[in-house]
Amino acid sequence: MPNQSETYENLLQEIEQLKKRVAELEHTEQKNLSLANDLNTCKEILQKTFMAVPAPMGMILNRTLEEVNPMICELTGYSRDELIGRNSRIFYRSDQEYNWVGEEKYSQIDKYGIGTVETIWRHKDGLLIDILLSSLPIDKKDYSKGFIFTANDISSQKRLKNEQISSEERLKIIFENAPDAIYLNDLKGYFIDGNRAVEKLVGYKREELIGKSFFNLDLMTGKNLIKATQMLARNVIGQKTEPDIITIHHKSGKKIKVEISTFPVTINKERLVLGIARNITKRLEEKKKLRESERNRIFHIQQSPLAIIEWDLEFNVRQWNQAAEEIFGYTAEEALGRYCNFILPKKQEDKIEGIWDTILETKNSTNSINKNQRKNGDIILCEWHNTPLFDEKNNIVAIASFAQDITERAKSEELRSVLYNISNAANTAQSLNTLIKQIRDELTTVIDTTNFFVALYDQETESFSLPFFSDEKDSFTSFPAGKTITSIVINSKKPLLCNKQELDERKRNGEIDVVGSMPEIWLGVPLQLEDKVIGALVLQSYNDQNAYSDSDLQILQFVSNQISLTIQRKNTEEKMAQALQSATEADRLKSAFLANMSHEIRTPMNGILGFTSLLKNEKINEEERLDYLSIIEKSGKRMLGVINDLIDISKVESGITEVILSNFNLTDVFNYTFSFFKPEAEAKGLELSCSPGLLREEAFIKSDKEKVYAIITNLVKNAIKYTKSGQVHFGYEVYNELIKFTVTDTGIGIPEENIDSIFNRFVQAGSLPTNNLEGVGLGLAITKAYIHLLNGKIWVESTQMKGSAFYVEIPYSKGINIKNTEKMDTVEKGNKQKNKLKVLVAEDDAINRKLFSYHLKDVVDELILVTNGTEAVKTYTETPDINLILMDLKMPEMDGYEATRLIREKNSEVIIIALSAFAFETEKNKAKQNGFNDYVPKPVSKVNLLKAIGNYFEV
């Protein structure tokens, strides 16, 4: 058992240990107390720091706001009281956004110990804020203790970033859509990149260009390739190149002009070349056109008849064209830079400044008429058009003026009423004298008409008559033309203005003789009617050598025209009166002609019908029957002559008469005409004689035989008709390449007043003393028409009751001496066919068929009659031994031309003779050209028919 001391000692040791323990406890307590004090101090410091942090910060527990600093309040617009204890959902736009932020935050904290996300908070007033949210747990091991978070406003950063992205996109868009070609190549010329404009410029796709140089793309040749190489060399040494023009080849082969600028650049530490190229082909063309346009503008400005002046805004001259020099008398050197008043009379400046002010205020053009002053001091009247010139901003930069000298025009306008009155007078004046007096009265207001006269020229007497003469010193009613100054106007057909000195000079030179007093100045203009000068209008002054000018001459020309028009009007009125009289006379003659023609047709018809009726009487004897038949035959020939005349004149007037040239003997024609008319002349007791101008062997000419024969026949027949007793002679002569026919008679003659009209239709029947002689009076009209067609002329000399002489001239063309002319178109007798004559007659008229059967019954062996061309072709086909066909040209179903064509296809040798009532020469020629051997006009006499047949067969 421990002793007491040991116990005490142990107790003391325990007490000491207890004291130590107490001391330690006290020390620990003191230390804990100090630590607690320090902790409270730290917590207070942390609290103050939390509140003072210059970034939005807060503490959150279970997503409930435990604490927020003022920056959070400032950021969100909420107060601290509005936020403490509230769920952080208050900051978000949507539950979706709120949940996504929570999930993303915890996920990052689990991985990295801190969670940072970008989100969007909503400000209290609704404004959206881009936020960078960072969250850190208070205890990494225990999330339930809460999180501290910071919320940084990154809106501006976001905007800058977006702007940066947008800027890059914009740059890319600009790059791609730039109108100029922008490209990058390395220092060896190899293409790296380029925009779409590059593709358009050269025609290659970007993929075709990348990695290739302009050396192997054949973009340039010659000097352009050298120029491009020099530009690249400058880029290599770090120099840019100024815009230069190079011709490149488009992929299509087209050459284009390109303006290129190049710049050395460094991209990602690599030295490259940036090029900008622009297609300037069109610009150069437009520039060329613009230069041409400018040249044209300058040319037109200089060539313009208007003064073109450009003024600056101080109204000083900037441009002055040639017309301005001519109008105002100042050269461009004298005018440029001068203020506008140098071309203004005094007291005109205020008016002009008012015009300038109006232009500047209204920006509109103005028109005005102003007095201006030339360099020599003359005052002129000008018409002005002023217009402002604008720049691209519609600011007035200058004023352009167009001016025209209208001084003379103004004077002309002053004359307008005078000339108007004169023109009216010319239309209303009843006589020439009245008109001249009115003209003189009107002219007095503008011209000195103290000494004024009108001279009308008489070519036969070579003198002037003076229907109006007013003079201070002389008094004439007429004077000889001679070598007067007035005659010079007549001969030259031009106006003349002479002063006294010029008149004296002409007199000394012997050009003129002065009639009357010598004036100081003389002015004369011709009076002209169409192309003929008929007189002159004259003014003169004895006391003022400057009394008249060129402008007065022009006025007087107008007046002379009015006088000439009045004379022409009066002549026209007279001609119209004569034409009316002639038309009335022609109508009377036409009526007389129709009455006479009716008489000429009815008279022989009456004879034919009357004596035909008498032939039916069985009691008449043979002598009476033959007499009746003779009268019928004569009446028929008379009526045929009337019809032939009507046909001939209708052919002439319709223009279908042609000239058909042939060789014939003129003397034979005259001899035949003599033989033909001799019995008729002897029956009237007339002596008929003929004197051909050439021997028969020398008388062959080339002309239209039928027309020459008609001319001679008509004239001889006419002479015999109008001659009761005495003689008729006709003949011809050749001289000066002309043939002159002469037909003279001792007949009744022609009244002098009718000589000019005897060749007109309708005249003979009613106006000449014919004693009721036969004929419709168309012979001379036909004759004259034929002579005109032969390029000849006819005239007549006649004395009433003593006789007439007709003369004809036509061109002489020597013909070929053709022997046996009468038998040229016939078959020689030894060659005529002797076989039996089998004849086919195609004729649609029953009477004519019957007549042909009577004519031919004694000369043919067999006669076949058909009524149209169709039957003729059929009959000939069935009876091919027919050796003569008489074919009427006009028949129903098929005409003679077509029938002959079809027959000729079967037999080209058969003889076919045309029969036609168309007595035109053209019809005869047409028949022979269409397969007919011969042509017999209707009415067909037995003699003519057998003669035609006799040319081919023995009859």
Side-chain angles (χ1 to χ4, degrees), residues 22 65 182 226 299 327 451 554 674 742 775 803 873:
V22 170
L65 295 168
I182 303 173
I226 294 172
F299 173 80
I327 291 175
N451 304 290
Q554 294 174 3
F674 176 78
T742 304
V873 174

Side-chain angles (χ1 to χ4, degrees), residues 32 107 676 709 891 949:
N32 288 335
S107 174
F676 182 84
Y709 177 70
M891 294 181 291
I949 297 173

Side-chain angles (χ1 to χ4, degrees), residues 183-192 212-215 220 224-242 244 246 260-265 271-275:
Y183 63 91
L184 284 172
N185 62 263
D186 62 18
L187 297 182
K188 294 181 180 180
Y190 287 92
F191 185 84
I192 295 174
K212 296 180 181 178
S213 73
F214 56 81
F215 294 103
M220 290 165 277
N224 293 291
L225 187 59
I226 294 172
K227 190 181 290 187
T229 304
Q230 292 172 343
M231 294 173 70
L232 181 60
R234 292 186 64 185
N235 298 144
V236 170
I237 62 176
Q239 294 180 355
K240 69 176 183 177
T241 63
E242 297 298 327
D244 204 348
I246 293 179
I260 300 178
S261 301
T262 60
F263 307 87
V265 296
R271 293 175 63 200
L272 301 173
V273 176
L274 172 68

Side-chain angles (χ1 to χ4, degrees), residues 545-693:
Q545 66 174 356
N546 297 316
Y548 309 117
S549 64
D550 289 337
S551 61
D552 298 324
L553 185 148
Q554 294 174 3
I555 295 171
L556 214 60
Q557 279 184 299
F558 172 82
V559 173
S560 73
N561 289 337
Q562 297 304 310
I563 294 175
S564 298
L565 288 173
T566 300
I567 295 173
Q568 184 176 16
R569 178 168 58 83
K570 295 299 182 184
N571 290 343
T572 302
E573 289 173 356
E574 291 177 2
K575 289 179 180 179
M576 289 178 64
Q578 292 174 359
L580 180 61
Q581 183 179 356
S582 299
T584 303
E585 178 66 10
D587 186 62
R588 184 186 66 80
L589 294 175
K590 180 179 179 181
S591 298
F593 166 79
L594 292 174
N596 188 52
M597 187 173 66
S598 176
H599 174 267
E600 289 299 320
I601 291 175
R602 288 176 179 272
T603 298
M605 182 62 70
N606 184 63
I608 292 170
L609 295 176
F611 284 98
T612 301
S613 176
L614 291 176
L615 285 174
K616 296 178 181 179
N617 189 347
E618 298 177 355
K619 296 179 180 181
I620 62 173
N621 56 37
E622 183 64 18
E623 183 180 352
E624 288 175 325
R625 187 179 66 83
L626 292 176
D627 186 35
Y628 293 170
L629 288 174
S630 176
I631 293 173
I632 292 171
E633 183 180 20
K634 183 179 179 181
S635 297
K637 289 180 178 179
R638 178 178 173 184
M639 189 163 65
L640 182 61
V642 172
I643 294 171
N644 285 337
D645 281 349
L646 291 174
I647 290 173
D648 287 342
I649 198 67
S650 66
K651 286 194 297 181
V652 169
E653 293 190 346
S654 62
I656 64 173
T657 302
E658 297 178 355
V659 174
I660 301 173
L661 300 178
S662 63
N663 289 287
F664 63 93
N665 192 287
L666 185 58
T667 295
D668 284 351
V669 171
F670 270 74
N671 289 337
Y672 176 80
T673 304
F674 176 78
S675 299
F676 182 84
F677 283 108
K678 185 177 181 182
E680 183 179 347
E682 289 177 347
K684 291 186 67 173
L686 302 177
E687 180 185 345
L688 181 66
S689 60
C690 175
S691 57

Side-chain angles (χ1 to χ4, degrees), residues 144-187:
S144 63
K145 293 182 179 179
F147 297 86
I148 295 175
F149 68 88
T150 60
N152 291 314
D153 183 356
I154 60 170
S155 298
S156 59
Q157 298 173 19
K158 196 86 169 177
R159 184 169 61 254
L160 289 173
K161 184 177 180 181
N162 289 338
E163 287 177 355
Q164 184 178 3
I165 294 171
S166 176
S167 177
E168 290 175 355
E169 291 177 349
R170 284 199 300 272
L171 286 174
K172 185 176 181 180
I173 291 170
I174 292 171
F175 176 76
E176 285 298 327
N177 293 282
D180 291 338
I182 303 173
Y183 63 91
L184 284 172
N185 62 263
D186 62 18
L187 297 182

Side-chain angles (χ1 to χ4, degrees), residues 622-871:
E622 183 64 18
E623 183 180 352
E624 288 175 325
R625 187 179 66 83
L626 292 176
D627 186 35
Y628 293 170
L629 288 174
S630 176
I631 293 173
I632 292 171
E633 183 180 20
K634 183 179 179 181
S635 297
K637 289 180 178 179
R638 178 178 173 184
M639 189 163 65
L640 182 61
V642 172
I643 294 171
N644 285 337
D645 281 349
L646 291 174
I647 290 173
D648 287 342
I649 198 67
S650 66
K651 286 194 297 181
V652 169
E653 293 190 346
S654 62
I656 64 173
T657 302
E658 297 178 355
V659 174
I660 301 173
L661 300 178
S662 63
N663 289 287
F664 63 93
N665 192 287
L666 185 58
T667 295
D668 284 351
V669 171
F670 270 74
N671 289 337
Y672 176 80
T673 304
F674 176 78
S675 299
F676 182 84
F677 283 108
K678 185 177 181 182
E680 183 179 347
E682 289 177 347
K684 291 186 67 173
L686 302 177
E687 180 185 345
L688 181 66
S689 60
C690 175
S691 57
L694 297 174
L695 297 176
R696 185 183 183 283
E697 56 270 19
E698 299 175 351
F700 289 94
I701 69 170
K702 188 175 184 179
S703 187
D704 190 318
K705 180 179 179 180
E706 298 297 330
K707 291 179 177 57
V708 170
Y709 177 70
I711 292 167
I712 298 168
T713 300
N714 283 336
L715 291 177
V716 173
K717 181 172 68 174
N718 208 55
I720 294 173
K721 181 192 298 187
Y722 291 103
T723 302
K724 296 179 180 179
S725 61
Q727 59 184 5
V728 173
H729 174 79
F730 67 101
Y732 75 89
E733 59 180 322
V734 177
Y735 67 96
N736 295 335
E737 297 185 353
L738 293 171
I739 304 172
K740 182 178 181 181
F741 305 151
T742 304
V743 179
T744 61
D745 63 61
T746 57
I748 61 176
I750 305 168
E752 183 178 356
E753 63 272 16
N754 292 326
I755 286 181
D756 292 336
S757 60
I758 61 171
F759 297 104
N760 298 333
R761 290 182 302 136
F762 312 149
V763 172
Q764 296 87 331
S767 60
L768 298 180
T770 60
N771 278 344
N772 296 321
L773 296 174
E774 296 177 2
V776 291
L778 293 175
L780 289 179
I782 296 169
T783 299
K784 183 177 181 181
Y786 284 173
I787 292 169
H788 176 72
L789 287 171
L790 296 176
N791 296 319
K793 65 178 181 177
I794 183 171
W795 69 97
V796 61
E797 297 173 356
S798 182
T799 303
Q800 265 190 289
M801 307 314 296
K802 290 186 178 181
S804 303
F806 285 82
Y807 304 98
V808 175
E809 284 182 351
I810 63 172
Y812 169 62
S813 178
K814 190 172 183 179
I816 301 172
N817 189 344
I818 301 176
K819 295 181 180 180
N820 301 319
T821 307
E822 300 299 325
K823 298 182 180 180
M824 280 296 292
D825 296 327
T826 66
V827 179
E828 293 294 332
K829 186 172 182 180
N831 295 330
K832 293 180 180 179
Q833 301 179 29
K834 298 180 180 180
N835 53 309
K836 287 187 177 182
L837 202 57
K838 194 171 188 178
V839 179
L840 170 65
V841 177
E843 169 62 63
D844 63 319
D845 185 78
I847 294 176
N848 283 333
R849 287 198 302 272
K850 191 171 184 179
L851 182 63
F852 289 137
S853 66
Y854 284 135
H855 287 338
L856 299 174
K857 66 180 180 179
D858 297 328
V859 296
V860 302
D861 298 288
E862 184 178 350
L863 181 67
I864 303 172
L865 300 172
V866 296
T867 61
N868 57 59
T870 303
E871 292 179 3

Side-chain angles (χ1 to χ4, degrees), residues 311-494:
W311 315 87
D312 62 23
L313 297 184
E314 299 298 324
F315 314 123
N316 301 312
V317 177
R318 290 196 346 183
Q319 188 169 345
W320 185 269
N321 74 339
Q322 186 174 345
E325 294 182 359
E326 294 172 356
I327 291 175
F328 299 106
Y330 294 93
T331 65
E333 291 77 12
E334 293 173 323
L336 290 175
R338 294 187 66 172
Y339 184 65
C340 62
N341 64 352
F342 74 103
I343 58 171
L344 296 175
K346 293 180 180 180
K347 299 181 181 180
Q348 287 287 311
E349 289 186 28
D350 291 343
K351 179 180 179 181
I352 300 304
E353 288 178 358
I355 293 174
W356 293 149
D357 291 341
T358 300
I359 295 172
L360 296 177
E361 290 174 5
T362 64
K363 294 187 176 182
N364 291 325
S365 301
T366 65
N367 297 303
S368 61
I369 296 177
N370 308 316
K371 287 184 178 179
N372 291 94
Q373 187 168 359
R374 290 175 48 83
K375 183 180 179 180
N376 62 6
D378 290 345
I379 302 299
I380 59 176
L381 194 65
C382 290
E383 184 175 35
W384 290 82
H385 176 74
N386 309 294
T387 186
L389 304 178
F390 300 92
D391 60 13
E392 63 277 3
K393 296 181 180 179
N394 202 36
N395 295 317
I396 297 178
V397 294
I399 296 173
S401 295
F402 305 87
Q404 180 181 10
D405 184 355
I406 61 168
T407 308
E408 294 301 322
R409 191 179 81 187
K411 290 180 180 179
S412 298
E413 289 176 355
E414 291 177 3
L415 296 173
R416 184 176 299 170
S417 61
V418 172
L419 300 182
Y420 177 78
N421 292 336
I422 290 174
S423 179
N424 280 342
N427 292 325
T428 59
Q430 298 300 314
S431 67
L432 182 61
N433 285 339
T434 301
L435 173 64
I436 295 173
K437 289 178 181 179
Q438 288 178 321
I439 288 175
R440 187 205 178 190
D441 293 342
E442 291 291 340
L443 287 179
T444 300
T445 60
V446 292
I447 302 176
D448 182 4
T449 58
T450 304
N451 304 290
F452 174 90
F453 66 86
V454 174
L456 298 181
Y457 181 62
D458 187 334
Q459 190 171 3
E460 292 185 2
T461 62
E462 295 186 354
S463 64
F464 290 104
S465 61
L466 304 171
F468 186 90
F469 187 87
S470 175
D471 193 88
E472 293 176 295
K473 296 186 177 182
D474 298 320
S475 178
F476 297 107
T477 57
S478 65
F479 60 87
K483 294 166 62 177
T484 61
I485 190 69
T486 309
S487 66
I488 292 179
V489 173
I490 301 299
N491 295 330
S492 67
K493 298 182 179 181
K494 295 179 180 179

